[in-house]
Amino acid sequence: MKLLVTGGAGYIGGVVAAKLVEAGHEVTVLDNLSTGHADAVHPAVNFIHGSIQEDAKAALGGDTDAVLHFAAASLVGESVADPAKYWTNNLGGSLALLDAMRETGTRKIVFSSTAATYGEPESVPILETAPTRPTNPYGATKLAVDSALTEYARMHSFGAVSLRYFNVAGAYQAQTGDWFGERHDTETHLIPNVLGGDPEKLSVKMFGTDYPTPDGTCVRDYIHVVDLAEAHLLALGATEPGRHRIFNLGSGSGYSVRQVVDVCREVTGLTINAEEAPRRAGDPSTLIASSERIQSELGWKVTRGLGDMVGDAWKFIGVRSGK
């Protein structure tokens, strides 16, 4: 298939693009490099440095079979401070992409959504039928795109699949030997924050140690970036004209902050100082997504655990630092 990957110079988009190339697809990446990296694009990919608002139609041409859409601003805190940026980039950009697809005859899309669309859930694991009540503009913009996909499926016979998930970790070594992993100018994720500091004095703050969880720290859902990429490839084959399907992706049980720190210690063999700090306002004790629907309908399941995520992330950091 001839595929367009928007945001394919980013962490998840870059891994998915690499996996698509290795599966035999012809892949074009469109990315403005506002948060992505040109060297995070697989060497066999056709790379276009541009924006979806201005360049999607040209990137699609008239013969693209499907789109995998990752391009988005994705920092929750920034979305609260600057919501206009998120509505313009995430919803405005997505609508421009959908219109370009409609005009060029591309009718299949896999959308990288988020479990942040659910907000603070009433129960866990979170099912696709749970109420969608996002608590920040980031989640709200992703939910708005999901709503638009439903309408484009109804009105223009698009086949769309949205994948909703929480935390992604790990890295991927492609068949070329190139490594693709997580690196952000503003890093908000736990594992790269723990591993990415000075190896002589790695440290982390655990915000809240009195939650109603087995060890008192927050429990969060993590999936390996390769498991996530494989879900996107399965979703690509599950697009059906006139239908918008939504699948949650999750580990089923999640991992606590303390567990993550312990595994980071085991993998690195380093002393990691864990400082106990007060709870942060608005942090739920447990966030886990159910993946029962995608398991039963598409056959996807998690195959890599926390040790794999931390181990691969640590290898990627070593490659980047030349060690």
Side-chain angles (χ1 to χ4, degrees):
M1 296 175 72
K2 185 173 182 181
L3 305 172
L4 175 65
V5 180
T6 67
Y11 171 39
I12 299 170
V15 173
V16 171
K19 294 288 284 184
L20 289 168
V21 166
E22 292 174 353
H25 298 290
E26 180 183 347
V27 180
T28 295
V29 160
L30 175 62
D31 198 302
N32 66 7
L33 299 183
S34 59
T35 57
H37 307 272
D39 62 354
V41 178
H42 191 282
V45 161
N46 173 38
F47 175 57
I48 300 174
H49 183 192
S51 72
I52 52 177
Q53 289 92 338
E54 297 178 0
D55 302 299
K57 188 173 181 179
L60 286 163
D63 56 351
T64 297
D65 297 300
V67 173
L68 294 98
H69 181 32
F70 298 90
S74 59
L75 297 176
V76 170
E78 182 186 55
S79 79
V80 175
D82 188 6
K85 173 182 176 179
Y86 279 68
W87 287 106
T88 299
N89 287 0
N90 296 0
L91 180 58
S94 297
L95 291 176
L97 173 65
L98 292 175
D99 276 342
M101 290 175 62
R102 178 177 54 80
E103 292 174 13
T104 58
T106 303
R107 291 291 191 273
K108 296 180 178 181
I109 182 169
V110 176
F111 175 50
S112 180
S113 189
T114 174
T117 54
Y118 297 109
E120 296 190 16
E122 297 173 352
S123 61
V124 292
I126 304 169
L127 301 173
E128 290 84 353
T129 53
T132 47
R133 296 179 294 217
T135 57
N136 53 70
Y138 167 65
T141 59
K142 289 282 193 172
L143 180 59
V145 176
D146 280 337
S147 297
L149 289 173
T150 299
E151 289 304 298
Y152 274 73
R154 181 180 66 84
M155 297 175 63
H156 305 297
S157 296
F158 274 45
V161 176
S162 293
L163 300 179
R164 293 174 175 173
Y165 48 90
F166 283 111
N167 300 291
V168 184
Y172 176 60
Q173 186 176 26
Q175 294 172 1
T176 59
D178 298 292
W179 276 91
F180 298 88
E182 187 171 12
R183 49 189 168 121
H184 302 116
D185 292 334
T186 302
E187 188 54 76
T188 61
H189 297 153
L190 179 59
I191 291 174
N193 270 329
V194 174
L195 300 179
D198 182 347
E200 299 300 320
K201 48 183 178 181
L202 294 181
S203 65
V204 63
K205 283 188 176 181
M206 298 189 298
F207 294 98
T209 56
D210 59 346
Y211 284 95
T213 61
D215 64 23
T217 62
C218 287
V219 172
R220 293 291 182 266
D221 218 338
Y222 290 85
I223 55 175
H224 196 291
V225 67
V226 178
D227 282 334
L228 178 60
E230 291 171 353
H232 280 79
L233 268 66
L234 285 172
L236 184 62
T239 55
E240 301 176 15
R243 187 179 183 190
H244 177 210
R245 306 173 74 179
I246 295 173
F247 297 106
N248 290 346
L249 306 176
S251 64
S253 57
Y255 303 98
S256 73
V257 173
R258 201 180 298 275
Q259 282 180 294
V260 171
V261 174
D262 286 343
V263 171
C264 287
R265 288 174 177 144
E266 293 171 9
V267 167
T268 65
L270 300 173
T271 299
I272 299 174
N273 179 53
E275 177 187 347
E276 296 188 3
R279 293 186 183 191
R280 293 180 299 194
D283 264 355
S285 64
T286 304
L287 291 175
I288 301 169
S290 169
S291 57
E292 289 184 5
R293 176 182 287 181
I294 194 170
Q295 286 183 38
S296 64
E297 296 187 19
L298 303 188
W300 179 87
K301 63 180 179 179
V302 168
T303 61
R304 299 161 181 87
L306 183 58
D308 299 305
M309 295 180 228
V310 174
D312 289 343
W314 186 237
K315 291 174 187 175
F316 175 71
I317 289 171
V319 169
R320 293 290 304 171
S321 63
K323 296 180 180 179

